[in-house]
Every structure is written in C-alpha cells, then in structure tokens.
Amino acid sequence: MWAHVWGFLYSNYFRFWLKWVLRLLTGKCELQRLLGGAEAGARRTLSVEHSLESSKNKVLRNAVHVEEAEVEKCVRDVMKEKKIGQKDTRFKTNLRISLLQISGYKKLYLDVENLRKVPYDSENEEHEEQLIELWHLLMPHENLKARISKQWCDIGFQGDDPKTDFRGMGLLGLVNLVYFSKHYTNEARQILSRSNHPKLGYSYAIVGINLTEMAYSLLKNGALKGHLYNMVSGLPQMEHFHQFYCYLVYEFDKFWFEEEPESIMHFNQYREKFHEKIKGLLLDHNVLLTLPDTKKP
Amino acid sequence: MGLLSILRKLKSTPDQEVRILLLGLDNAGKTTLLKQLASEDISHITPTQGFNIKSVQSQGFKLNVWDIGGQRKIRPYWRNYFENTDILIYVIDSADRKRFEETGQELAELLDEEKLSGVPVLIFANKQDLLTAAPASEIAEGLNLHTIRDRVWQIQSCSALSGEGVQDGMNWVCKNVSTKKK
C-alpha cells in the first residue's frame, strides 16, 4: 500500500523536482547525465529507456518506438528538444546506440513472434528440408529410412512424425533446434547422447522445444533486455536470440544432470527451478549469458 | 440455529476435492484442455514432458486436474498417478484416424487397470473444429464403448481450442463425482 503511494508520488511529483534540482546543480538534463556518465551497456540503456518512457515530452516518449531508419533524425530531434548543442558528439553517439538497442529489441521480438506464428507445415518444402537437415546434423551415421518413422524418437521427438511436436512454438522451435545443431554440432551430439541416459534421460527435441518457449517468454516480457544490451551495441539480430537459446540448451543439460531428478516425470519442476535461476542471472546489470566460444562459423 | 452459526457452518465446509486424471495419446490436446479449463492462454503450448497439474473451482468442487504426457516413452509412468482417481478423462484427437487403433488399445488397457476399476470415464472426442474430425458417435462405435459395463461413462465431442463442448463434459464430471462420493 505505502509502496504504491510512494511510487505514485515519486513518479508524478518527486521525480520531477529531483530532476530539476539535479539539473540546477549539474547544469545537465537527465539524459545528459546518463549518457555522459555510465559505461555503455545494459545499465546505461535501461536508464535511458526508463527516462524516455517516463518523460512528459512527446518527442522523448516516442523515441523508444522509433524505427531503425529514423534513429538519426530522432537523435537530432531529442537534442533540439532538450536544447543540447548538435556538436556534442559524445551525447549524439551514445544516444544513437541506446535508441538502436531499445528499438532493436522491440523489432527482434516482432521477428521472433512472426517466426513462432508460422505453424510447422509438412506440405512446405522449406520446412521439410530443415527437419531433414536436423536429422543429418544429429545423426550423421544413420539414414532416415522414411519420412514417417519411429527413428524420430531417437532424437527425442514424441512419435513417428515430428510435425505435431512444434505446437505453439511453430517454426521457431525447429529453427532453434537446427541452429544449435549446426553451429554447435559437437555439443549438440554430446547432449543428445547424454539425453539417452537410461535413468536420467529426457527427450532431446521436445525439451529443446520447451526451452524455445522459455527463451521466447523471457524475450517477450523484457527479461532479456539487460543481456542483449550488454551483448550488442546496436541492433540485436535474430542470431542473438538463437545464441541465447543455445546457452539455455547447454546449461539446462548441465543443470539436469547435476540435479539428478528421480525421473523424466519431474521435468516441469526442474524446468521451473532452472527458469528461476536464469531469471535471477538476468537481473544483474552486467549479465552476459553466452556459451564458451566453440561456435562454428 | 442462529444466523451466525449457519454462516460459520457454510464457511467451514470447504470445497470437496476431486482428483481428475487426464490421459490420452501425445498430441490429443490434453494440455490445451487443461489450460482451457483454467482459462489460461493456449497459444504457447509445448509438448508435455512429465505432467502438469492445475486446480480449478467448479460447481462447489475443487478439481485437481493431472495432465500426464502422452508420449509412448512415458506411458509406463501413467500408473504412478492412478491412485485415488475420482474421474478419468480420456482425450482423443478425432482427426487422427490413423491412430484410432492405438488410442483404443491404450483406453482398453486403462479400463482393465485394477486401481482404476469403477472410476467413471469421460471420453473427449477432441478437435471437432477440424473438418476431418470423426463424429463422437463414430468414435464410440470404433472403440466399442457400449461394451463398458463396469462403470459409468460418457463420450463428449469438443474442441479444446475453441472451448466448445468442454463445459458440457465438465458438467457430466461434476454430476458423476457427487453420485459416487456421497
């Protein structure tokens, strides 16, 4: 209750006066203080994002929704609005980077969402090719005897036709699986073979699709901001999302075998525990969740 | 009895708890049904490893619904969840004709289980939103449901996606819980 009242008073009144006092003392506006001081990365961009979003000025508030092509113009407009000389190149460059990161994150979410919304379609040749590619990447020494085959269970699909396993994750689930197997082939094969453990085993592909959901929901609720702002000083790309997925697969496998669950039936309980662990790591402003550098070009 | 004591009595009768087991082949739509029952978003569903459980309030009951993964590899674990089951809900993908035989076999085995003997069974003929879905009557015939004599049973066509038919099925569940338990 008091926290609510305080939050309301702060964001509506005190924040304004605090900014005014600081401006008098330092001779700089909030954005100048943020962009001139802190090092590049999550801390700075998150503060800039918050400052812009809670601004009373429309130009500033709209800056977080600007498209890539408009960023240059938006930077100039913000500087004009805050009466900052256009010659302040440091401010200009830093604001530009932050705006690219902020709008890039929103764009990345839309791209990921669009891929997720494409249902897996076995009539679509491109989809089928990727599915077959996944098989070859994971099982280089074994031929797939037929498109509909019990063999799919060997890489952790549920039955003889993987097409029904992608569900709500659509093509995103498959693209993630293929990306990991293609760029971290050794790790993928190793994890697949570990996942066949007689007692602690799990279904590799299905768990992969579950982890796509985890990566997707973290992106959707903004939890990945810190990580991506630290990772890319510009526009984050689809590839960076896939990279984060790879991190999850790799780390989940380690986590699972360290925890030694009784059986696969406890999957959701450990998935949740792992989820909490990742959410905790993502709260740190210096977070950077990447795999050891073994990626193939 | 004074008003106060009546109120107190009403308050002290908690909802009767009901254990519902949701079974069926993989991709039958069990998790979608579970989420539909709990009024949750159904657009981000992934295949179930292990199980999901949710509690739903309905008609004075607290329904504890156990949704167990349907993949062949984990079907041997189904039996770990049989104990104290009040109602069995068996979900069928009505459009997946190629697997009618498999789903029929699994159901028959479940009905033979000692721990499930006498437990009322509701069969959801799911995915009626698909054009290729078989009608409930055809499924009932294919599975020889009329030969079930050792328990009450019902087949209900539904679409877990749109929610159509789900409530009708759940009404049957609540009705049959009360007759069995009281």
Side-chain angles (χ1 to χ4, degrees), chain A residues 11 42 107 266:
Chain A
S11 57
K107 173 77 172 32
H266 296 81

Side-chain angles (χ1 to χ4, degrees), chain A residues 122-252:
Chain A
S122 53
E123 310 272 291
N124 184 317
E125 255 175 62
E126 274 173 43
H127 296 188
E128 285 287 295
E129 273 167 21
Q130 291 186 67
L131 186 61
I132 301 299
E133 186 185 5
L134 178 67
W135 175 269
H136 290 307
L137 284 165
L138 290 171
M139 303 291 256
H141 305 301
E142 211 165 314
N143 257 336
L144 188 62
K145 292 186 185 89
R147 168 60 183 77
I148 310 277
S149 156
K150 289 246 149 58
Q151 285 173 290
W152 288 112
C153 295
D154 298 345
I155 60 171
F157 284 102
Q158 295 199 97
D160 55 14
D161 191 348
K163 75 173 183 190
T164 55
D165 283 344
F166 297 106
R167 314 246 172 118
M169 289 302 114
L171 207 52
L172 183 66
L174 176 59
V175 170
N176 270 170
L177 282 169
V178 172
Y179 187 95
F180 183 59
S181 317
K182 198 165 170 177
H183 297 280
Y184 300 92
T185 313
N186 290 335
E187 287 79 0
R189 288 180 192 160
Q190 216 165 16
I191 291 175
L192 172 64
S193 95
R194 271 154 68 93
S195 78
N196 285 320
H197 189 284
K199 191 169 167 288
L200 295 177
Y202 57 83
S203 296
Y204 176 85
I206 301 306
V207 167
I209 294 166
N210 264 281
L211 291 171
T212 291
E213 198 278 330
M214 191 182 291
Y216 164 80
S217 64
L218 289 169
L219 176 73
K220 188 179 180 182
N221 67 26
L224 281 193
K225 278 182 184 175
H227 161 71
L228 285 174
Y229 293 167
N230 283 329
M231 183 143 172
V232 197
S233 61
L235 287 176
Q237 307 289 333
M238 194 56 128
E239 188 178 2
H240 299 113
F241 177 76
H242 295 325
Q243 290 276 349
F244 178 68
Y245 166 82
C246 295
Y247 170 85
L248 286 185
V249 174
Y250 187 81
E251 290 297 319
F252 180 78

